[in-house]
Amino acid sequence: MNDDKQTLIALKNLGLIDTDVDNVRLVDENNTTVDSDSRSAVNDDHTWFLQLFFGVSGMVASLFFIGFLSLLLENTGVLDSMIAVLIIGSSLNGAGFMLFKHQQNRDNAFISSLAFAISVVGQAYIAYALFSNNLPTPIDIYLFLLTQGFMTLVMSNYVYRILGSVVTLSLMVYLLNYYHLPELSLGLLALIAVISNLQRHRLLQRTPVKWHMTVFATIKAVGYASALMLLAVSVYFIAAEYGRHVGSYGEALSYNYYLAQGLLIFASLYAAYLILKRYHVKLQSVAGRLIVGIIILLGILSIYVSGLLATSLVIIIAVANSQRALLGLGIAALVGYVFWYYYQLDTSLLIKSVSMLIIGLTMLMIRWRLRLKRDAFNSTKYMNSDEQKERLL
């Protein structure tokens, strides 16, 4: 068991697997399950498309549930009372929590979808109670943010945690926009994505052992949600200003591109530092300085090609952690943003074609240089191995 654990730790340090085996106890010395959170993690280990299917089916079921329950309560006048709606929402969340706990021991897809739908309906009623009773604008957002964050932490369902994290981060972005600080959104979301994806083991070391599985699942969900929000927000504000959208209280949206991309560059440099540290490469080395220069160049280009650095950051994080779903999302977003910029150019088709030709030739040259370096490295490695064999003989 210890040898297997050391092997997994070595694979984690090389970035080949995405788990924190040095901080998560799955099995004790008697080969029995440690706690209910471990069983939950095992039962939630479905493929991503099955989890997505369960999530979509749960959302559809929750919509029907909301309509059915609202029709029953509308004639009674219960929906006019904020306290009554809060009690109903809290009760539904409690029922969903109990169903999720019950599902841990059985791994029943129907119970999981039912618990998901009930929990979503409960959160919808709490949101309705907070936003429809004339509470001051920042206070209702703060209350729902705290409620959503708490439910994301306690609900032992991976899809629910991802959606809850998306809602929580969306509320955070809204508050930054409310306080006229939309430029902080990119850097903060990038920093959350970097820490939650590349520093999970550091965060787990600061939590008690019995909470490791719960905290690990929450951090993993926050990692995916923050990457998704980063890809969305990286293009939203520029598109909003381009379309003359408005900000808080009907004011014209003002966005400082240089400040936003500067903060994103700092977060990307921190991610580069963590990844290079994993492979024992310093930023002061030739490779480190080259990577820093590329990040700064992408940050400057992102002022004009929105989302370029953000999608590159997501792709690099996905490659470093071997997260195929996140990698596919980042590549799709990168292709979409580049084509969006291409069709928004106010130039002739000839200039667009020449620019695409230059980009294609540049990518081919980079690929050619990388292949030359790889072949040189492999030949050097084989020569060194042959020399070592000759010395041994």
Side-chain angles (χ1 to χ4, degrees), residues 227-385:
L228 179 62
M229 287 298 301
L230 176 62
L231 296 177
V233 172
S234 62
V235 72
Y236 167 75
F237 287 108
I238 296 178
E241 184 166 350
Y242 178 82
R244 299 296 186 268
H245 293 180
V246 295
S248 303
Y249 298 106
E251 300 175 358
L253 179 63
S254 177
Y255 192 72
N256 191 329
Y257 303 101
Y258 302 99
L259 177 59
Q261 294 300 324
L263 295 176
L264 182 59
I265 288 174
F266 281 115
S268 302
L269 290 175
Y270 179 59
Y273 166 75
L274 294 177
I275 295 175
L276 291 176
K277 183 180 178 182
R278 179 184 296 180
Y279 297 100
H280 306 287
V281 178
K282 296 182 179 180
L283 285 177
Q284 295 81 6
S285 62
V286 177
R289 291 196 297 267
L290 179 61
I291 291 174
V292 171
I294 293 175
I295 291 175
I296 295 175
L297 178 60
L298 288 176
I300 296 173
L301 293 177
S302 296
I303 298 175
Y304 308 98
V305 187
S306 58
L308 186 59
L309 180 57
T311 51
S312 300
L313 176 62
V314 172
I315 291 173
I316 293 301
I317 291 176
V319 172
N321 284 353
S322 300
Q323 296 170 292
R324 289 179 295 178
L326 191 60
L327 178 61
L329 180 64
I331 293 175
L334 178 60
V335 174
Y337 292 163
V338 170
F339 273 100
W340 179 77
Y341 170 75
Y342 175 78
Y343 284 107
Q344 290 295 326
L345 285 176
D346 189 15
T347 57
S348 63
L349 290 177
L350 178 61
I351 297 178
K352 289 182 178 180
S353 302
V354 172
S355 62
M356 294 298 291
L357 177 63
I358 294 174
I359 293 174
L361 292 176
T362 304
M363 297 299 293
L364 289 175
M365 289 181 62
I366 293 174
R367 181 177 181 272
W368 176 67
R369 291 290 299 174
L370 290 175
R371 290 189 63 180
L372 288 180
K373 289 183 177 294
R374 184 190 63 182
D375 295 339
F377 175 78
N378 291 333
S379 62
T380 304
K381 182 175 66 175
Y382 292 146
M383 290 177 61
N384 293 334
S385 61

Side-chain angles (χ1 to χ4, degrees), residues 167-214:
V167 174
T168 304
L169 294 174
S170 301
L171 293 174
M172 181 194 71
V173 172
Y174 178 85
L175 288 174
L176 290 175
N177 189 31
Y178 174 81
Y179 290 113
H180 305 286
L181 298 172
E183 297 86 359
L184 301 181
S185 301
L186 275 181
L188 188 57
L189 288 173
L191 185 62
I192 294 174
V194 170
I195 293 176
S196 57
N197 284 285
L198 300 178
Q199 290 286 83
R200 292 174 186 171
H201 62 287
R202 296 284 184 181
L203 298 176
L204 287 175
Q205 288 176 355
R206 302 179 182 274
T207 59
V209 176
K210 64 180 181 179
W211 292 101
H212 275 181
M213 291 302 301
T214 301

Side-chain angles (χ1 to χ4, degrees), residues 42-59 103 107-110 112-113 116 157-160 162-163 325:
V42 174
N43 292 335
D44 279 343
D45 191 20
H46 298 292
T47 54
W48 66 271
F49 51 86
L50 285 179
Q51 292 179 352
L52 180 62
F53 175 77
F54 291 151
V56 172
S57 62
M59 290 295 295
Q103 184 265 345
D107 193 16
N108 192 308
F110 174 77
S112 178
S113 299
F116 184 86
N157 181 266
Y158 186 59
V159 178
Y160 184 92
I162 291 180
L163 294 179

Side-chain angles (χ1 to χ4, degrees), residues 215-232:
V215 175
F216 175 76
T218 304
I219 294 174
K220 188 176 180 181
V222 171
Y224 278 98
S226 58
L228 179 62
M229 287 298 301
L230 176 62
L231 296 177

Side-chain angles (χ1 to χ4, degrees), residues 94-127:
F97 175 77
M98 296 303 296
L99 285 175
F100 277 134
K101 284 294 184 182
H102 177 72
Q103 184 265 345
Q104 290 177 2
N105 300 325
R106 301 191 175 209
D107 193 16
N108 192 308
F110 174 77
I111 295 178
S112 178
S113 299
L114 179 63
F116 184 86
I118 292 176
S119 303
V120 171
V121 173
Q123 289 297 93
Y125 273 102
I126 290 178

